[in-house]
Amino acid sequence: MSPALSLSISNLPISRSQDLSRDSPKTLNPSRKTPTDIKLTKRTLLNAAALDVLGKTLTTPQPAKSEPEAPAESSSSRMSYSRFLQYLDEGAVKKVDLFENGSVAIAEIYNPALDRIQRVKVQLPGLPQELLRKMRDKNVDFAAHPIQMSMWPAILDLLGNLAFPLILLGSLLLSSSSRNVPGGPNLPFGLGRSKAKFQMEPNTGVTFDDVAGVDEAKQDFQEIVEFLKTPEKFAAVGAKIPKGVLLVTVGLPDIKGREEILKVHSNDKKLDKSVSLSVIAMRTPGFSGADLANLMNEAAILAGRRGKDKITAKEIDDSIDRIVAGMEGTKMTDGKNKILVAYHEVGHAVCASLTPGHDPVQKVTLIPRGQARGLTWFIPKEDPTLISKQQLFARIVGGLGGRAAEEIIFGPTEITTGAAGDLQQITQIARQMVTTYGMSEIGPWSLTDPAAQSGDVVLRMLARNSMSEKLAEDIDESVRNIIDKAYEVAKNHIRNNRAAIDKLVDVLLEKETLTGDEFRPILSEFTQIPDDKIARPPIRELISA
């Protein structure tokens, strides 16, 4: 029994070789018996023998790996970098395997105390050239190995990132599945559900009778409503129900449409009998329905602020001025500037009134609004859908009337910056006459490339460059001729009507505002006003009509 007992115990896996390398060699006394040895039974010996056979079977020598063991899988002892360099200097380092881009090394070092090779793990400070040179000098067998990527960290990281979205999606699925919503499967965010909705809005009381001004758009919408109410009427002739309606083609209302809109927005307002909706419609070309609604509301606010129980023509007039020109500014004090502004504005009014084709004067005022120190207003005869060459030229003459008055009355050195806005407007009109409307000696050509109106800067530059230098010079010359001719007409009006202008300026400085009906009788005392200005019924008659 003793030989069997000794054989079985000597082959039991008591410790690993790595553990022995760390401790000093220990001598086992085979003659000394421990309590465990004393208690061994026959069954214990048989079990030990079986484990011995199994252990030998499991520890059958395997062929050597072609690649060294990675640092993460290595159970080698750790060694400091300085200690490693010491062993390297002594020539004890036999082999070095570099991992993780040279930051970790598994070194085989000869231990003279144990008379054996030990594997140790060393953390390197990078991979300095000095270390490589030293290992090469010491004939150390060293090699670098690529980083071995493990899929598990990436998989775990991906699952961590998807955890919250998956939980959220699961909760949405559970919550949506608990609801009984008709119209399709209960998927989150309405997936798979029909996007068509039919909502019943409360009765607002608004009918087609409450909509006015743009008859074409109103008629189109009435047809759509009728289509939806009685589809069988249209289906009988093969018409299909429209899938949508595009309402961005609504234009600005004409004078008749503006008057109809004003009727809608004045139904709930108390108007004085001096207020004429037709006159307001004539004074508001270019106003949209929203602008007209704002106008009537602004007039109502002014009437309430002034303690009136009705909206008068004064509130309407001030509201139009405020919407078009801006808030009323501080009134000018008497002095040279006020006199100069008065002559400037009267110059506009006189030149416009004496030039055939121009709209009649509505009022002249010295009350500042916005950036303007004074304003001259004109009332159009009709909507400016078609404008003649005579009318455009008359607008240029009227626009230059202020600058002409400054130069003729105060001298060329006293002209001011007050005409800056006027010059910009009349130059634009003259250039359109030449390039867009064909109203110059160049001929009836459209000289404007559509690309020049594009919002793309590159296209505008290309369009400008495509025009020949000679043509550009001809256009500039034609524009200049129109403006020069109009300026001479304006200066002649100022020279020939100095007495009338002085009289009108005196009245304007006293009253600060002259209506068209007050302005025209004074001017007619000194000169004859063209028939197209006189034949028009006065504003007061239109108001009382």
Side-chain angles (χ1 to χ4, degrees):
M1 295 289 291
S2 292
L5 177 61
S6 175
L7 177 64
S8 299
I9 294 177
S10 64
N11 287 312
L12 288 177
I14 299 175
S15 63
R16 298 181 180 177
S17 61
Q18 290 86 346
D19 297 332
L20 291 176
S21 64
R22 298 177 186 171
D23 304 325
S24 58
K26 295 182 181 179
T27 304
L28 297 178
N29 188 355
S31 63
R32 183 178 178 181
K33 295 185 178 180
T34 63
T36 306
D37 297 327
I38 299 172
K39 295 181 180 180
L40 289 175
T41 63
K42 183 176 180 180
R43 181 177 297 275
T44 304
L45 294 176
L46 292 175
N47 290 338
L51 288 174
D52 180 83
V53 175
L54 180 60
K56 289 182 178 180
T57 304
L58 296 176
T59 57
T60 303
Q62 300 292 331
K65 296 182 179 179
S66 60
E67 294 292 336
E69 190 176 12
E73 301 170 353
S74 176
S75 58
S76 305
S77 302
R78 291 182 178 273
M79 177 179 287
S80 65
Y81 181 60
S82 59
R83 184 76 169 171
F84 169 73
L85 293 178
Q86 181 180 349
Y87 277 113
L88 182 61
D89 292 336
E90 294 174 356
V93 179
K94 303 302 180 182
K95 184 179 180 182
V96 175
D97 291 299
L98 300 171
F99 297 92
E100 299 181 10
N101 293 329
S103 62
V104 176
I106 301 298
E108 294 183 1
I109 301 177
Y110 175 73
N111 191 337
L114 300 177
D115 192 23
R116 61 190 295 272
I117 299 294
Q118 284 186 293
R119 288 172 60 85
V120 295
K121 182 177 181 180
V122 182
Q123 191 74 32
L124 302 179
L127 193 59
Q129 294 296 325
E130 181 66 21
L131 177 60
L132 295 176
R133 184 188 62 77
K134 187 175 292 187
M135 289 192 298
R136 200 175 290 113
D137 293 343
K138 297 295 184 179
N139 293 324
V140 177
D141 183 14
F142 64 92
H145 302 276
I147 300 176
Q148 296 182 357
M149 298 297 296
S150 177
M151 292 298 295
W152 283 110
I155 294 174
L156 293 176
D157 183 62
L158 178 62
L159 292 177
N161 293 333
L162 293 177
F164 177 75
L166 289 175
I167 294 174
L168 178 62
L169 183 61
S171 62
L172 290 175
L173 288 172
L174 291 175
S175 61
S176 61
S177 61
S178 62
R179 301 173 185 169
N180 185 19
V181 181
N186 296 325
L187 295 178
F189 312 114
L191 296 176
R193 190 176 303 159
S194 173
K195 295 182 180 180
K197 294 183 179 180
F198 185 79
Q199 296 181 347
M200 292 296 293
E201 294 291 340
N203 188 2
T204 59
V206 178
T207 66
F208 280 111
D209 294 335
D210 301 315
V211 180
V214 190
D215 295 335
E216 294 82 1
K218 179 178 177 180
Q219 182 179 356
D220 289 344
F221 204 73
Q222 283 177 321
E223 291 178 355
I224 294 171
V225 172
E226 185 180 1
F227 205 140
L228 295 175
K229 286 184 175 179
T230 57
E232 64 280 357
K233 172 183 175 182
F234 298 90
V237 292
K240 295 182 179 179
I241 300 177
K243 296 182 180 296
V245 183
L246 183 64
L247 299 177
V248 294
T249 59
V250 178
L252 295 174
D254 56 13
I255 185 171
K256 180 181 177 182
R258 292 195 298 273
E259 185 173 356
E260 294 297 323
I261 293 173
L262 287 168
K263 290 179 181 179
V264 171
H265 292 297
S266 61
N267 281 335
D268 57 346
K269 295 175 176 60
K270 295 181 180 180
L271 301 180
D272 186 75
K273 58 183 179 180
S274 63
V275 175
S276 171
L277 297 182
S278 60
V279 174
I280 300 174
M282 285 193 302
R283 287 196 56 196
T284 53
F287 273 45
S288 65
D291 294 331
L292 295 172
N294 184 36
L295 167 64
M296 298 305 297
N297 185 63
E298 188 71 27
I301 292 174
L302 288 178
R305 187 180 301 162
R306 295 169 181 174
K308 298 181 179 180
D309 58 352
K310 293 182 179 180
I311 299 174
T312 67
K314 173 65 175 172
E315 283 72 52
I316 297 292
D317 187 61
D318 291 343
S319 297
I320 294 176
D321 293 353
R322 182 172 182 176
I323 292 174
V324 175
M327 295 285 292
E328 181 177 324
T330 304
K331 294 183 179 181
M332 293 183 294
T333 57
D334 294 337
K336 181 180 178 180
N337 284 342
K338 188 174 183 178
I339 294 174
L340 193 147
V341 172
Y343 272 102
H344 184 103
E345 298 305 327
V346 169
H348 281 308
V350 168
C351 290
S353 298
L354 297 180
T355 304
H358 203 287
D359 295 329
V361 174
Q362 191 267 328
K363 73 174 177 179
V364 183
T365 179
L366 296 181
I367 298 176
R369 285 191 179 274
Q371 300 297 322
R373 299 295 88 190
L375 291 167
T376 300
W377 298 84
F378 302 93
I379 185 168
K381 304 172 186 178
E382 55 189 12
D383 280 334
T385 52
L386 292 176
I387 307 175
S388 67
K389 180 179 179 180
Q390 182 191 51
Q391 290 174 309
L392 291 174
F393 184 78
R395 291 183 184 182
I396 297 176
V397 173
L400 290 170
R403 168 58 65 86
E406 291 179 2
E407 180 178 340
I408 298 301
I409 295 172
F410 296 97
T413 61
E414 295 297 317
I415 59 176
T416 69
T417 60
D422 301 331
L423 298 179
Q424 184 177 6
Q425 291 180 9
I426 63 101
T427 302
Q428 182 179 7
I429 294 174
R431 184 165 292 275
Q432 287 179 332
M433 291 176 67
V434 176
T435 62
T436 305
Y437 306 131
M439 297 177 178
S440 71
E441 62 274 10
I442 295 180
W445 294 356
S446 176
L447 304 176
T448 302
D449 193 329
Q453 308 298 327
S454 173
D456 193 324
V457 178
V458 177
L459 291 178
R460 290 205 304 269
M461 293 178 62
L462 291 175
R464 190 180 300 119
N465 294 333
S466 65
M467 183 178 295
S468 67
E469 185 176 350
K470 178 65 169 61
L471 181 57
E473 291 176 357
D474 291 344
I475 291 174
D476 291 340
E477 184 66 23
S478 297
V479 172
R480 180 178 183 136
N481 290 339
I482 293 174
I483 295 176
D484 288 346
K485 181 180 178 181
Y487 193 44
E488 288 301 321
V489 173
K491 288 192 291 186
N492 286 333
H493 285 326
I494 301 299
R495 293 190 191 101
N496 299 333
N497 297 278
R498 177 65 186 269
I501 292 173
D502 290 339
K503 175 67 174 179
L504 287 167
V505 167
D506 290 339
V507 177
L508 181 60
L509 289 172
E510 179 183 354
K511 302 184 65 174
E512 291 195 331
T513 298
L514 276 176
T515 64
D517 293 338
E518 295 170 335
F519 169 83
R520 277 182 289 274
I522 297 175
L523 180 60
S524 62
E525 293 176 4
F526 297 88
T527 187
Q528 183 179 1
I529 302 176
D531 293 339
D532 61 338
K533 309 293 192 306
I534 298 177
R536 182 177 178 78
I539 299 298
R540 289 181 181 174
E541 292 184 10
L542 292 174
I543 294 176
S544 60

